[in-house]
Amino acid sequence: MPDNIITPDEGENLRLDRVREAVCINAPRIYDSCSDKDCLEDLPVMLTKPGQCLIDKATSVRLNTVNVCNVAVSLQPVPFHNGFYAVDMTFYFDVGLDAFMTPNALPMPVKGLAVFSKRAVLFGSEGSVKVYTSDCAEAPEGLSTPSQNCPKAVVQVAEPVALSARLEKHGGHCHMTPYRIPESIIRRYGGEFVQNESEKDVLVSIGMFTIVQLERDVQMLIPAYDFCMPRKECVASSEDPCELFSSIDFPTNEFFPKDHPTDKKPHHGCSAAKE
């Protein structure tokens, strides 16, 4: 074991005179990225038959919750622009609604699905080699399956902001775009979505923050200080739940919010073409 053990929290105090050697590592490098702030206005909500029956009888709706249940990402090279790629993203939102049958009645909960697609064009560099790797599971006939040397698209999505919801007569909204819904999402709602058998449509508005990155695995030479070794011992959990609870600090910050919000504004360096 090395004499000089360095922990992650000591990384800020590392100096060049403590470098032991230069090592080559294989790690993903971000070639290009962009951030975006989208206000998705009047997205149509797809409902199953039981949910649509409630909506057809409702006099008003309220948007309760919005969550991202999945994001489909595909990557295509941009013609005549070497090294640039179009990142096509389709976001699937799980929408929680409160349907009111009369103004003074208790709301009925309804779950639905909203879909939104967008595109970002980013630089991902070029590569003309095929990558072969080995793992613990042997491939048929001992051969490795190659992967194309394309960048990897990474999409990060913050928790969506539920803005509003409203009812509209069916067919009154012109951009009701048909989407192919994955089977895994259909099973989540317990049945097929109603398309043209409704009297009323639900339109929701959602706020969304995203970061899109293009990464490639590259070999980099970095300074190595020493092995990163943990100093804490692994402690088995106690069987006494009250003893375990007593070791948790009181969550003061949960009861007292911050006085001033941060003044930092997101950087909009995005080159995106929204569909």
Side-chain angles (χ1 to χ4, degrees):
M1 179 173 293
D3 298 330
N4 187 18
I5 298 177
I6 298 173
T7 57
D9 56 352
E10 296 174 328
E12 296 181 357
N13 301 322
L14 296 177
R15 300 178 302 176
L16 291 177
D17 57 1
R18 297 176 63 182
V19 176
R20 296 176 63 111
E21 61 177 329
V23 297
C24 185
I25 65 169
N26 191 78
R29 173 187 169 182
I30 300 174
Y31 276 85
D32 201 1
S33 64
C34 67
S35 62
D36 218 347
K37 176 182 178 181
D38 295 294
C39 182
L40 315 180
E41 190 174 5
D42 288 345
L43 287 181
V45 178
M46 290 181 284
L47 303 164
T48 58
K49 191 171 183 178
Q52 188 63 57
C53 290
L54 290 175
I55 292 299
D56 289 341
K57 299 175 183 177
T59 59
S60 64
V61 290
R62 179 177 62 195
L63 182 55
N64 192 1
T65 60
V66 177
N67 297 291
V68 178
C69 57
N70 209 336
V71 181
V73 184
S74 63
L75 198 67
Q76 295 291 335
V78 177
F80 310 111
H81 289 79
N82 293 337
F84 283 86
Y85 294 83
V87 184
D88 292 308
M89 298 158 280
T90 301
F91 299 84
Y92 298 93
F93 298 99
D94 179 50
V95 178
L97 301 167
D98 288 332
F100 294 88
M101 304 303 155
T102 60
N104 297 324
L106 292 175
M108 301 292 292
V110 179
K111 283 285 188 179
L113 179 73
V115 185
F116 173 72
S117 294
K118 65 179 293 185
R119 167 177 287 189
V121 178
L122 297 172
F123 178 74
S125 190
E126 298 180 68
S128 58
V129 300
K130 293 182 179 180
V131 181
Y132 294 83
T133 60
S134 62
D135 52 25
C136 294
E138 293 186 1
E141 300 180 0
L143 300 178
S144 299
T145 302
S147 61
Q148 298 295 328
N149 195 274
C150 291
K152 179 176 69 173
V154 178
V155 179
Q156 302 179 52
V157 189
E159 193 69 22
V161 181
L163 298 177
S164 65
R166 64 184 180 91
L167 290 175
E168 188 175 271
K169 185 179 179 180
H170 179 66
H173 203 63
C174 59
H175 62 269
M176 186 74 74
T177 306
Y179 288 96
R180 181 184 177 275
I181 309 301
E183 288 294 332
S184 58
I185 294 181
I186 293 177
R187 290 195 299 268
R188 178 185 181 129
Y189 291 87
E192 294 286 344
F193 293 101
V194 177
Q195 297 292 334
N196 299 313
E197 302 175 4
S198 59
E199 298 178 7
K200 298 178 182 178
D201 296 329
V202 180
L203 306 178
V204 296
S205 295
I206 302 169
M208 181 177 68
F209 299 90
T210 56
I211 293 179
V212 186
Q213 301 171 174
L214 284 189
E215 301 177 348
R216 276 187 183 276
D217 286 342
V218 297
Q219 291 76 41
M220 294 185 290
L221 190 67
I222 65 169
Y225 297 92
D226 217 316
F227 292 101
C228 182
M229 299 294 292
R231 289 185 173 179
K232 294 190 300 183
E233 294 182 358
C234 296
V235 180
S237 60
S238 172
E239 296 182 358
D240 186 355
C242 291
E243 181 180 347
L244 178 63
F245 180 74
S246 65
S247 64
I248 301 175
D249 295 332
F250 190 86
T252 306
N253 293 334
E254 298 295 328
F255 292 88
F256 299 94
K258 296 179 180 179
D259 293 334
H260 301 284
T262 58
D263 294 329
K264 295 182 179 179
K265 297 181 179 180
H267 175 68
H268 297 281
C270 214
S271 172
K274 300 175 188 173
E275 292 184 341

